[in-house]
Amino acid sequence: MNDLLISILNLVLIFGLAIVLLVLFKKRTRFEVYNDLIVARDFAYPANIPNYAIKSISLIEKLPKVLMRSNGYGGLKTWKGIFRIAGGKRAVLYVEDHFKGPVIKIDTVRENVYINFKDKEQTQQLYDEMAKNVKILDEKELVDCKFVATMRSWAIAAVFIVVTMLVLLIPVMLL
């Protein structure tokens, strides 16, 4: 009976940790727009997108076909993180509803960033703010740089794995 209780406790702890991480990953990304920088405040995929890496900002009707998730979260409608899109190009997605448009497309030297919200008006407002405030530089002034912090997502996955292993191994060590 004691082994059964420990097994149930392990499952509850692992399931609880998974739920907590799911809620944190699904939390809405907040964006701040400056004339030389777009800041994505996100739990797992924060980004500072400088204007010297931005080729253009546009509003498109729908998201390009997503081929593969490289390092990200793909829920029912929400996609967040690093993905491969049609044409094999790497893209960073902050997408709350991939079935609906419009979608903000930020074309950078390294990759594209796609943003949309469930509410079309919010997507339009963020695009208007970006179009009005972000200074787009000439092609010769652009710099190739990495702006998405993916190490945080890898660290979160590592912590989840370590905690899961500890929860599973503690009963064995107690015997």
Side-chain angles (χ1 to χ4, degrees):
M1 184 66 175
N2 196 20
D3 289 341
L4 179 62
L5 184 62
I6 290 173
S7 297
I8 290 172
L9 182 62
N10 283 342
L11 287 174
V12 168
L13 287 171
I14 292 169
F15 187 69
L17 183 60
I19 295 282
V20 167
L21 285 176
L22 183 66
V23 167
L24 289 173
F25 270 88
K26 211 159 156 49
K27 190 174 179 182
R28 172 176 272 180
T29 305
R30 291 180 298 121
F31 294 92
E32 296 171 8
V33 179
Y34 304 99
N35 67 344
D36 62 344
L37 181 70
I38 299 171
V39 178
R41 300 216 182 271
D42 187 75
F43 173 70
Y45 302 97
N48 289 326
I49 309 167
N51 70 327
Y52 57 78
I54 299 173
K55 291 181 179 180
S56 67
I57 300 173
S58 58
L59 198 61
I60 58 176
E61 285 303 311
K62 66 180 198 169
L63 189 66
K65 183 176 179 167
V66 174
L67 303 176
M68 181 179 87
R69 179 177 61 219
S70 299
N71 176 353
Y73 166 81
L76 296 173
K77 293 180 181 179
T78 304
W79 289 348
K80 196 183 290 190
I82 312 298
F83 291 77
R84 291 271 175 218
I85 59 171
K89 190 166 184 180
R90 178 181 141 124
V92 181
L93 304 182
Y94 298 102
V95 176
E96 289 185 5
D97 190 345
H98 61 83
F99 296 118
K100 288 185 192 174
V103 178
I104 299 169
K105 177 186 178 189
I106 303 172
D107 187 18
T108 72
V109 174
R110 183 172 284 224
E111 58 221 348
N112 291 337
V113 179
Y114 295 93
I115 304 165
N116 94 332
F117 300 107
K118 290 177 187 172
D119 181 11
K120 291 180 180 185
E121 298 300 320
Q122 279 187 300
T123 304
Q124 183 67 50
Q125 286 174 353
L126 181 60
Y127 169 73
D128 292 343
E129 186 179 356
M130 287 178 181
K132 178 182 165 192
N133 294 324
V134 178
K135 181 182 174 196
I136 304 295
L137 303 177
D138 291 332
E139 188 81 28
K140 63 182 183 261
E141 297 177 280
L142 297 178
V143 177
D144 185 6
C145 65
K146 184 174 181 180
F147 52 81
V148 178
T150 56
M151 290 308 296
R152 186 182 290 182
S153 63
W154 288 109
I156 293 165
V159 167
F160 178 75
I161 291 168
V162 167
V163 169
T164 302
M165 295 306 290
L166 286 174
V167 167
L168 293 173
L169 291 175
I170 286 173
V172 173
M173 293 187 297
L174 293 176
L175 295 176

